Amino acid sequence: MKRDRHGAFWDLAAPYLASGACDEGTIMGGPCLRTKGEFVAMFWQRGGGLVVKLDEQRVRAHLSDGVAMPFAPAGRVFREWLVVPETAVDLWPEVLDEAVALALARAK
């Protein structure tokens, strides 16, 4: 049975929600994770991947690895956002942890 990637996202998000590090919000018409009201991550239904918010340097580093892609809905690139596709689901825990850590550091 194929694992539902949207469900995989919420499985990864569960510890952050339970700890209070993140809460559920909405963005672009869909559910997302937030910290202190700021976007952290979401599953991008239309693009089939995990979208996270990182600093520009980390986005560039992940892009140079060739696994992730820039997040560019409607053709506009979000410089601090990154898409890790379903084909790289093994990287989702790492980048989600990185995104949460950054959001918590910025919230202080």
Side-chain angles (χ1 to χ4, degrees):
M1 183 168 151
K2 184 178 176 184
R3 186 169 182 189
D4 174 79
R5 298 303 186 209
H6 197 273
F9 169 72
W10 290 108
D11 289 347
L12 290 173
Y16 302 108
L17 293 166
S19 72
C22 294
D23 51 66
E24 189 174 337
T26 59
I27 194 165
M28 298 183 197
C32 72
L33 286 183
R34 292 185 173 276
T35 294
K36 305 260 187 203
E38 293 298 317
F39 173 78
V40 174
M42 70 180 171
F43 179 77
W44 186 240
Q45 286 281 120
R46 291 176 242 167
L50 172 68
V51 176
V52 293
K53 183 175 182 181
L54 303 172
D55 64 39
E56 285 186 63
Q57 180 180 349
R58 291 302 299 148
V59 167
R60 285 192 301 272
H62 284 294
L63 291 174
S64 71
D65 290 343
V67 176
M69 302 170 293
F71 182 68
R76 180 179 163 251
V77 174
F78 287 49
R79 292 178 312 202
E80 292 188 325
W81 295 29
L82 182 74
V83 180
V84 181
E86 292 178 275
T87 56
V89 70
D90 293 346
L91 295 176
W92 287 15
E94 177 186 331
V95 295
L96 182 57
D97 192 54
E98 190 176 348
V100 171
L102 176 65
L104 290 170
R106 287 180 170 177
K108 290 182 180 183

